[in-house]
Amino acid sequence: MDISTPLNPSNLFSANGPMVSSSSLLAAAAALAMQLPPRLSRPVHPASTSLAGVSLPRRRCQQPQRLQGWEATFAVNSSAVLYVSAAFLKLLDAGNRRRGWEGGKLPADRARRREKGNLAKILIEPDDERTSQIITVGSISGLNRFITAGLAYSCSKAAAIHLCKMLAYLLAPWGIRSNVINPGVYPSVMTTGSKDSYNYKEVPAGRKGSFQDIAGVVLYLVGKGGAYVNGSMENTDGGMLSVMPATY
């Protein structure tokens, strides 16, 4: 399925399977990295006053195929977050209603009401205050200033991170939350061939992230302990951002 264009919600589910009537969670995780020449992809920026030193990266960045790569990267890493979120909004609203919350857009002059009488029937505890949420998987590449996975990838992830924050504001009247997880170096197709151990100037934790590391962050956000979290970034990078130029 092409997630880089607006989606029809009915196309998200198998015609032969059971209809999904509600959802309390949408996890938006997709990534596309445009390959750049090694000189541009390394986090090394030597100063140069020669015309050749400036014209070389300029020519490489202006190649037509690189401009097309930017469009494709943003379509998957940024635009798709918006399109998929929009496609799931009715299900997320239904997820709130299922948990006893008043559905739809809330008036600005009062809190959202909740009916708790039927919660026991669906095994939801009375003190469970969770509402539906969207969790976007960003990247610390959208926060650091090194060119680690290419200019387009880093910029597209920065856009996805900011979009997540904007969705938290946009969807507040509907009681739908939006949070983002920014992984650092984890085992993946993108990090294939990278080393497994690091010095403290690279990754203070000294290693790549593990399944337990990312699972712990997700379980926190989707669990009762994360019910009060909205519009937040959770960086899980072993401290990598703390030892490089970054804004977060």
Side-chain angles (χ1 to χ4, degrees), residues 50-187:
S50 68
L51 179 61
V54 174
S55 61
L56 179 60
R58 183 188 66 187
R59 289 197 303 270
R60 285 175 171 169
C61 289
Q62 291 179 336
Q63 292 174 359
Q65 62 268 30
R66 302 213 174 280
L67 297 179
Q68 295 171 3
W70 274 72
E71 295 173 356
T73 302
F74 268 82
V76 172
N77 295 354
S78 307
S79 302
V81 174
L82 179 63
Y83 297 148
V84 174
S85 297
F88 270 81
L89 287 181
K90 287 187 177 180
L91 291 178
L92 292 169
D93 179 62
N96 280 340
R97 296 171 189 264
R98 178 179 177 273
R99 300 178 70 86
W101 293 105
E102 177 183 4
K105 186 177 182 179
L106 189 70
D109 59 349
R110 63 174 175 82
R112 188 171 300 275
R113 300 188 179 105
R114 191 181 192 192
E115 174 57 54
K116 297 185 177 182
N118 294 323
L119 295 183
K121 296 180 181 179
I122 56 176
L123 304 179
I124 296 179
E125 298 175 349
D127 65 345
D128 187 341
E129 299 289 339
R130 284 176 289 180
T131 57
S132 296
Q133 72 169 315
I134 300 167
I135 297 179
T136 301
V137 178
S139 170
I140 65 166
S141 293
L143 302 173
N144 71 55
R145 302 179 188 181
F146 284 161
I147 308 173
T148 52
L151 292 168
Y153 179 81
S154 295
C155 291
S156 68
K157 285 299 184 179
I161 291 168
H162 191 60
L163 174 60
C164 166
K165 297 176 183 178
M166 296 175 72
L167 287 176
Y169 170 81
L170 177 67
L171 300 177
W174 284 267
I176 297 173
R177 297 177 291 140
S178 175
N179 294 297
V180 60
I181 298 174
N182 297 319
V185 182
Y186 274 82

Side-chain angles (χ1 to χ4, degrees), residues 177-201:
R177 297 177 291 140
S178 175
N179 294 297
V180 60
I181 298 174
N182 297 319
V185 182
Y186 274 82
S188 69
V189 174
M190 289 183 60
T191 60
T192 299
S194 62
K195 57 187 180 180
D196 294 323
S197 62
Y198 301 84
N199 63 52
Y200 72 90
K201 293 183 179 180

